Coordinates of all heavy atoms in Angstrom, one line a residue:
G30 N 0.8 -1.2 0.0 CA 0.0 0.0 0.0 C 0.8 1.3 0.0 O 0.3 2.4 -0.1
E31 N 2.1 1.1 0.1 CA 3.0 2.3 0.1 C 2.9 3.0 -1.3 O 3.2 2.4 -2.3 CB 4.4 1.9 0.4 CG 5.4 3.1 0.4 CD 6.9 2.7 0.5 OE1 7.1 1.4 0.7 OE2 7.7 3.5 0.6
L32 N 2.6 4.2 -1.3 CA 2.4 5.0 -2.5 C 3.8 5.5 -3.0 O 4.6 6.1 -2.2 CB 1.5 6.2 -2.3 CG 1.2 7.1 -3.5 CD1 0.4 6.3 -4.5 CD2 0.5 8.3 -3.0
L33 N 4.1 5.3 -4.2 CA 5.4 5.7 -4.8 C 5.2 6.9 -5.7 O 6.2 7.7 -5.9 CB 6.0 4.6 -5.6 CG 6.3 3.3 -4.8 CD1 6.9 2.3 -5.8 CD2 7.3 3.6 -3.7
G34 N 4.0 7.2 -6.2 CA 3.8 8.4 -7.0 C 2.5 8.4 -7.7 O 1.8 7.4 -7.8
Y35 N 2.1 9.6 -8.0 CA 0.8 9.9 -8.7 C 1.1 10.6 -10.0 O 2.1 11.3 -10.2 CB 0.0 11.0 -7.9 CG -0.8 10.5 -6.7 CD1 -0.3 10.9 -5.4 CD2 -1.9 9.8 -6.8 CE1 -1.1 10.6 -4.3 CE2 -2.6 9.4 -5.7 CZ -2.2 9.8 -4.5 OH -2.9 9.5 -3.3
S36 N 0.2 10.4 -11.0 CA 0.2 11.3 -12.1 C -0.4 12.6 -11.7 O -1.2 12.7 -10.7 CB -0.6 10.7 -13.3 OG -2.0 10.7 -13.0
D37 N 0.1 13.7 -12.3 CA -0.4 15.0 -11.9 C -1.9 15.2 -12.0 O -2.5 15.9 -11.2 CB 0.3 16.1 -12.8 CG 1.8 16.3 -12.5 OD1 2.2 15.9 -11.4 OD2 2.5 16.8 -13.3
S38 N -2.5 14.5 -12.9 CA -4.0 14.7 -13.2 C -4.8 14.2 -12.0 O -6.0 14.5 -11.9 CB -4.4 14.1 -14.5 OG -4.2 12.6 -14.4
V39 N -4.3 13.3 -11.2 CA -5.1 12.7 -10.1 C -4.5 13.0 -8.8 O -5.1 12.5 -7.8 CB -5.2 11.1 -10.3 CG1 -5.7 10.8 -11.7 CG2 -3.8 10.4 -10.1
R40 N -3.5 13.7 -8.7 CA -2.9 14.0 -7.4 C -3.9 14.7 -6.5 O -4.6 15.6 -6.8 CB -1.7 15.0 -7.6 CG -0.8 15.2 -6.3 CD 0.3 16.1 -6.6 NE 1.2 15.6 -7.6 CZ 2.2 14.8 -7.4 NH1 2.4 14.3 -6.2 NH2 2.9 14.3 -8.5
G41 N -4.0 14.2 -5.2 CA -4.9 14.7 -4.3 C -6.3 14.1 -4.4 O -7.1 14.4 -3.5
R42 N -6.6 13.4 -5.4 CA -7.9 12.8 -5.6 C -8.0 11.3 -5.5 O -9.0 10.8 -5.1 CB -8.5 13.3 -6.9 CG -8.7 14.8 -7.1 CD -9.4 15.2 -8.3 NE -8.7 14.7 -9.5 CZ -9.2 13.8 -10.4 NH1 -10.4 13.3 -10.3 NH2 -8.4 13.5 -11.5
F43 N -6.9 10.6 -5.8 CA -6.9 9.2 -5.9 C -6.0 8.7 -4.8 O -5.0 9.3 -4.5 CB -6.4 8.6 -7.2 CG -7.3 8.8 -8.4 CD1 -8.5 9.6 -8.3 CD2 -7.0 8.2 -9.6 CE1 -9.3 9.8 -9.3 CE2 -7.8 8.4 -10.7 CZ -9.0 9.2 -10.6
S44 N -6.3 7.5 -4.2 CA -5.4 6.9 -3.2 C -5.5 5.4 -3.2 O -6.4 4.8 -3.7 CB -5.8 7.4 -1.8 OG -7.1 7.0 -1.5
V45 N -4.4 4.8 -2.7 CA -4.3 3.3 -2.7 C -4.4 2.8 -1.3 O -3.8 3.4 -0.4 CB -3.0 2.9 -3.4 CG1 -2.8 1.4 -3.3 CG2 -3.0 3.3 -4.8
S46 N -5.0 1.7 -1.1 CA -5.1 1.1 0.3 C -5.3 -0.4 0.2 O -5.7 -0.9 -0.9 CB -6.2 1.7 1.1 OG -7.5 1.4 0.5
R47 N -4.9 -1.1 1.2 CA -5.1 -2.5 1.3 C -6.6 -2.8 1.6 O -7.2 -2.1 2.5 CB -4.2 -3.2 2.3 CG -2.8 -3.2 2.0 CD -2.5 -4.0 0.7 NE -2.9 -5.4 0.9 CZ -2.2 -6.4 1.4 NH1 -0.9 -6.1 1.8 NH2 -2.6 -7.6 1.5
A48 N -7.2 -3.7 0.9 CA -8.6 -4.0 1.1 C -8.7 -5.1 2.2 O -7.8 -5.8 2.5 CB -9.2 -4.5 -0.2
N49 N -9.9 -5.3 2.6 CA -10.2 -6.4 3.6 C -10.0 -7.8 3.0 O -9.6 -8.7 3.6 CB -11.6 -6.3 4.2 CG -11.8 -5.1 5.0 OD1 -10.8 -4.6 5.7 ND2 -13.0 -4.6 5.1
A50 N -10.4 -8.0 1.7 CA -10.2 -9.2 1.0 C -8.7 -9.6 0.8 O -7.9 -8.7 0.7 CB -10.9 -9.2 -0.4
K51 N -8.4 -10.8 0.9 CA -7.1 -11.3 0.8 C -6.5 -11.0 -0.5 O -7.2 -11.2 -1.6 CB -7.0 -12.8 1.1 CG -5.6 -13.4 1.2 CD -5.7 -14.9 1.5 CE -4.3 -15.6 1.5 NZ -4.4 -17.0 1.9
N52 N -5.2 -10.6 -0.5 CA -4.5 -10.4 -1.8 C -5.2 -9.3 -2.7 O -5.2 -9.5 -3.9 CB -4.3 -11.6 -2.6 CG -3.4 -12.6 -1.8 OD1 -2.5 -12.2 -1.1 ND2 -3.7 -13.9 -2.0
T53 N -5.7 -8.3 -2.1 CA -6.5 -7.3 -2.8 C -6.1 -5.9 -2.3 O -5.9 -5.7 -1.1 CB -8.0 -7.5 -2.6 OG1 -8.4 -8.8 -3.1 CG2 -8.7 -6.4 -3.4
V54 N -5.9 -5.0 -3.3 CA -5.7 -3.6 -3.0 C -6.7 -2.8 -3.7 O -7.2 -3.2 -4.7 CB -4.3 -3.1 -3.4 CG1 -3.2 -3.8 -2.6 CG2 -4.0 -3.3 -4.9
D55 N -7.1 -1.6 -3.1 CA -8.1 -0.8 -3.7 C -7.5 0.6 -4.2 O -6.5 1.1 -3.6 CB -9.1 -0.4 -2.6 CG -10.0 -1.6 -2.3 OD1 -10.1 -2.6 -3.1 OD2 -10.7 -1.5 -1.2
L56 N -8.1 1.1 -5.2 CA -7.8 2.4 -5.7 C -9.1 3.3 -5.5 O -10.1 3.0 -6.1 CB -7.4 2.4 -7.2 CG -7.2 3.8 -7.8 CD1 -5.9 4.4 -7.2 CD2 -7.0 3.7 -9.3
Q57 N -9.0 4.2 -4.6 CA -10.1 5.1 -4.3 C -10.1 6.3 -5.2 O -9.1 7.0 -5.2 CB -10.1 5.6 -2.8 CG -11.2 6.5 -2.5 CD -12.6 5.9 -2.4 OE1 -12.7 4.7 -2.1 NE2 -13.6 6.6 -2.9
L58 N -11.1 6.5 -6.0 CA -11.2 7.6 -7.0 C -12.2 8.6 -6.5 O -13.4 8.3 -6.4 CB -11.6 7.1 -8.4 CG -10.6 6.2 -9.2 CD1 -10.4 4.9 -8.6 CD2 -11.2 6.1 -10.6
N59 N -11.8 9.8 -6.1 CA -12.6 10.8 -5.6 C -12.7 12.0 -6.5 O -11.8 12.2 -7.3 CB -12.2 11.3 -4.2 CG -12.2 10.3 -3.1 OD1 -13.2 9.4 -3.1 ND2 -11.3 10.3 -2.2
D60 N -13.8 12.8 -6.4 CA -14.0 14.0 -7.2 C -13.7 13.7 -8.7 O -12.9 14.4 -9.3 CB -13.1 15.1 -6.7 CG -13.4 16.5 -7.3 OD1 -14.6 16.7 -7.7 OD2 -12.5 17.3 -7.3
L61 N -14.4 12.7 -9.2 CA -14.1 12.3 -10.6 C -14.5 13.4 -11.6 O -15.5 14.1 -11.5 CB -14.9 11.0 -10.9 CG -14.3 9.8 -10.2 CD1 -15.2 8.6 -10.1 CD2 -13.0 9.4 -11.0
R62 N -13.7 13.4 -12.7 CA -13.9 14.4 -13.7 C -14.1 13.6 -15.1 O -13.7 12.5 -15.2 CB -12.7 15.3 -13.8 CG -12.3 16.0 -12.6 CD -10.9 16.6 -12.7 NE -10.5 17.2 -11.4 CZ -9.3 17.7 -11.2 NH1 -8.3 17.6 -12.1 NH2 -9.0 18.3 -10.0

């Protein structure tokens, strides 16, 4: 879940986290354009 970088277009709006499900990570997309 350690973030290494964002593209400029999504900086501050998208984030990565570990999900509850095994072997799964989530990408949270906020304020979609």
Side-chain angles (χ1 to χ4, degrees):
E31 179 185 1
L32 182 67
L33 300 177
Y35 283 109
S36 69
D37 289 340
S38 65
V39 306
R40 188 181 302 275
R42 298 187 297 117
F43 292 7
S44 62
V45 174
S46 64
R47 293 296 302 273
N49 291 330
K51 186 178 180 180
N52 297 325
T53 301
V54 295
D55 288 344
L56 177 67
Q57 179 69 36
L58 291 67
N59 295 325
D60 192 24
L61 285 162
R62 305 167 181 172

